Amino acid sequence: MSERREGGSVKLSDITDSTVDALKSFGAFATDTVQPTVRLGVTGLSRAGKTVFVTALVRNLVGDGRLPFFPAHAEGRIERVVLEPQPDDDVPRFRYEDHLDGFARERPVWPEGTKRVSQIRLAIDYTPRSAMRRMLEPAFGRARLNVDIVDYPGEWLIDLAMLEQDFAAWSARALAAGEAPHRRDAVASFRDFVGSIDADAALDEAVAQKGAALYTDYLRASREKEPALSTLGPGRFLMPGDLEGSPLLTFFPLPAGADAGSPKGSLRAAMERRYESYKTLVARPFWRNHFCRIDRQIVLFDALAALNSGPAALGDMSQAMTEVLKAFRPGASTLVSRMFQRRIDKILFVATKADHLHHTSHDRLEALARTMADAAIVRAEFAGAEVRSMAVAAIRATREAEAEIDGGSLPCIVGTPRKGEKVGDTVFDGETETALFPGDLPADPARLIRGDEGELPAGAHDVRVLTFLPPRLTLETPGGKRPAPPHIRLDRAIDFLIGDKLA
């Protein structure tokens, strides 16, 4: 990731960043030579199910998961999987045990969403397929693979696109996004405020604070109205932590001025300076300390929630994923890249909550996920990365059934909707198990994203997206078994991500 000043001159920080990245890559290569390690990044927009995905992945490997399509597990070659201390002492540990306890309650609950970067390490002892490698075990020890899983807030993803934009470009895109029909109500107060001020007048801190507050209110209202549309940033405006109230979070987009310059001491100059400080002190360290060290990337998104919000939401989500992946370093993993500049050699796009649809629609959900991320996938494949898309439910909260209606059979899902969820005039009590026809996906997902609703059969994108209560998990049986929650295609996802490392 680099920036250039006008005229093409390179910043000193670019050279420094490249040197630091190369040193980190070489250090990681030296460590991997002694103890092979693969670092998985788990990313996605807000409410895509990142925490649930990581919890389920760990439990299925550490516990007694059913993973028939993960060959290393199905063939009995995995001897032991244990949790190890994570390698980075300055990164909080992923709260795996706390999340398990939530699933084991009398009334199980989904875990809270990701609010900060966290990490967990698995150590997998396995028997290699290679006879030569097995012969070397007495001399070099048991084959072991460390798997470091890094989970981070979806809101912070949006900041990565800012690294390629100056203040003027970011402002233009942010203001243009507010003109979309589905955002006009939320942005109204902020738009009126921006229209009433002189950005080239002397900085008034009260004006800056009011503008930042109105812009934050707009971001929050957009997310609350349409949870799938967490595509606006900066991400820390919605999750400020200890930065709340600081100048780093006291800026907002402005319309272009009469000329390219920003008068010294003006509001515009201050907003531009704070924007650049945000990139330098917040966005860039997040990218450097985590993204440039990723080997393989999981990108989760809730395509069904976006689908429920209409074609505009699908288009927004697709655009957001494309912008985010511009910050990645996709490419084939070679000796040189592992030594000096690590590359993401596998990217998995996961359309989550597949259990909200009947299995007859899963192929169409995967096609929708592939279409939504098409531009990003093309870029990654061109760079040499292996890319795949899947429809997955990391923890299955429903089961399938058939309902007899008017002499015909209707495919349904059965689960317990969360209290307060609604379908039509029906409000669920959070206690009653319900059979529900989830709706159908069209055969051509591109038509949904284009918004060709007039060509679609009635109700083709009317997918009912509810929040179902999770299944209750038994932490350990009297016989010492550690059951894992039911899932859909999680084993295929695991095999794609690390299966080749266990050959």
Side-chain angles (χ1 to χ4, degrees):
M1 179 64 58
S2 63
E3 297 175 89
R4 297 183 182 271
R5 294 186 185 275
E6 293 183 3
S9 60
V10 180
K11 293 182 179 180
L12 177 61
S13 61
D14 293 337
I15 301 174
T16 304
D17 288 346
S18 298
T19 302
V20 170
D21 294 347
L23 289 173
K24 286 185 176 180
S25 292
F26 188 79
F29 172 79
T31 301
D32 291 352
T33 302
V34 178
Q35 182 62 72
T37 300
V38 60
R39 190 173 176 90
L40 304 181
V42 181
T43 188
L45 296 178
S46 180
R47 307 183 191 185
K50 299 179 296 299
T51 304
V52 172
F53 183 90
V54 175
T55 302
L57 186 153
V58 174
R59 178 65 176 188
N60 273 273
L61 290 175
V62 173
D64 298 293
R66 294 184 68 253
L67 304 171
F69 292 100
F70 177 32
H73 185 277
E75 294 166 4
R77 293 192 295 107
I78 293 182
E79 301 171 10
R80 187 180 67 149
V81 183
V82 295
L83 296 175
E84 294 278 342
Q86 73 259 34
D88 301 312
D89 292 337
D90 59 338
V91 179
R93 186 176 183 275
F94 180 78
R95 296 168 53 203
Y96 168 67
E97 291 82 3
D98 290 344
H99 302 325
L100 280 188
D101 289 342
F103 290 122
R105 294 180 186 177
E106 183 69 28
R107 295 177 61 84
V109 296
W110 295 110
E112 293 183 1
T114 304
K115 295 182 179 179
R116 58 182 181 177
V117 177
S118 63
Q119 183 184 80
I120 193 167
R121 166 172 281 195
L122 299 175
I124 303 176
D125 294 332
Y126 66 100
T127 300
R129 278 180 173 163
S130 166
M132 179 65 71
R133 179 65 182 85
R134 292 197 300 269
M135 290 174 59
L136 295 174
E137 279 194 359
F140 292 95
R142 174 186 294 171
R144 168 171 283 200
L145 175 70
N146 289 329
V147 180
D148 294 335
I149 304 173
V150 182
D151 177 38
Y152 47 86
E155 287 82 358
W156 297 4
L157 282 173
I158 302 152
D159 293 348
L160 299 179
M162 296 168 63
L163 295 175
E164 294 286 353
Q165 301 169 356
D166 62 16
F167 178 71
W170 173 76
S171 290
R173 298 190 70 168
L175 294 174
E179 294 303 312
H182 55 283
R183 290 194 174 112
R184 286 176 184 165
D185 290 342
V187 79
S189 295
F190 173 71
R191 183 181 59 237
D192 293 344
F193 169 80
V194 169
S196 69
I197 62 174
D198 180 3
D200 293 326
L203 169 65
D204 182 335
E205 192 60 40
V207 173
Q209 291 180 4
K210 182 176 181 180
L214 288 172
Y215 187 66
T216 302
D217 290 343
Y218 155 52
L219 298 182
R220 186 174 294 111
S222 295
R223 186 174 69 169
E224 290 175 353
K225 181 180 179 181
E226 303 287 0
L229 298 181
S230 301
T231 58
L232 298 173
R236 293 293 183 95
F237 276 42
L238 295 177
M239 197 173 292
D242 57 3
L243 297 178
E244 187 168 9
S246 71
L248 281 174
L249 302 189
T250 311
F251 67 90
F252 53 90
L254 290 169
D259 54 54
S262 299
K264 186 176 181 180
S266 66
L267 174 67
R268 186 185 306 279
M271 297 299 96
E272 181 176 354
R273 184 180 67 254
R274 292 175 185 181
Y275 172 83
E276 292 298 331
S277 293
Y278 184 91
K279 289 166 56 177
T280 299
L281 300 176
V282 177
R284 187 179 296 281
F286 172 56
W287 177 82
R288 182 190 303 123
N289 295 336
H290 302 289
F291 268 72
C292 73
R293 300 168 58 197
I294 295 297
D295 299 305
R296 294 177 177 184
Q297 184 69 52
I298 309 104
V299 182
L300 298 98
F301 50 103
D302 188 351
L304 295 180
L307 178 63
N308 219 35
S309 299
L314 288 170
D316 280 352
M317 185 173 285
S318 177
Q319 178 63 29
M321 301 316 294
T322 300
E323 292 298 322
V324 163
L325 290 185
K326 288 180 180 179
F328 293 170
R329 286 174 171 169
S333 178
T334 64
L335 178 62
V336 173
S337 70
R338 290 197 301 272
M339 289 180 66
F340 298 111
Q341 192 177 67
R342 298 178 81 90
R343 296 284 180 179
I344 297 174
D345 63 347
K346 287 192 175 188
I347 301 174
L348 176 64
F349 289 92
V350 173
T352 57
K353 305 177 184 178
D355 57 330
H356 287 47
L357 293 175
H358 194 269
H359 75 270
T360 53
S361 290
H362 287 176
D363 288 347
R364 294 184 176 187
L365 179 58
E366 289 190 354
L368 175 61
R370 178 88 182 184
T371 301
M372 288 176 62
D374 184 62
I377 290 175
V378 167
R379 177 182 181 275
E381 289 180 335
F382 180 80
E386 183 180 356
V387 184
R388 190 172 299 175
S389 60
M390 296 182 186
V392 171
I395 294 182
R396 184 170 191 162
T398 68
R399 66 182 192 278
E400 295 186 351
E402 300 288 329
E404 298 295 329
I405 298 179
D406 297 330
S409 180
L410 190 66
C412 294
I413 57 174
V414 180
T416 305
R418 182 179 59 184
K419 184 177 181 179
E421 294 285 303
K422 294 178 63 176
V423 172
D425 295 329
T426 302
V427 180
F428 296 102
D429 59 9
E431 303 279 351
T432 306
E433 192 174 65
T434 302
L436 179 74
F437 172 63
D440 288 324
L441 294 179
D444 180 6
R447 293 165 63 187
L448 282 177
I449 297 175
R450 291 195 307 266
D452 301 341
E453 298 184 34
E455 304 174 20
L456 297 174
H461 58 84
D462 184 22
V463 176
R464 295 175 176 85
V465 180
L466 302 178
T467 299
F468 292 93
L469 298 183
R472 188 180 182 193
L473 178 65
T474 301
L475 296 183
E476 188 168 348
T477 67
K481 291 285 187 179
R482 293 171 293 174
H487 63 81
I488 297 175
R489 296 189 185 88
L490 182 62
D491 48 351
R492 297 177 188 267
I494 295 172
D495 182 54
F496 176 75
L497 293 167
I498 63 172
D500 60 317
K501 299 289 186 178
L502 301 171

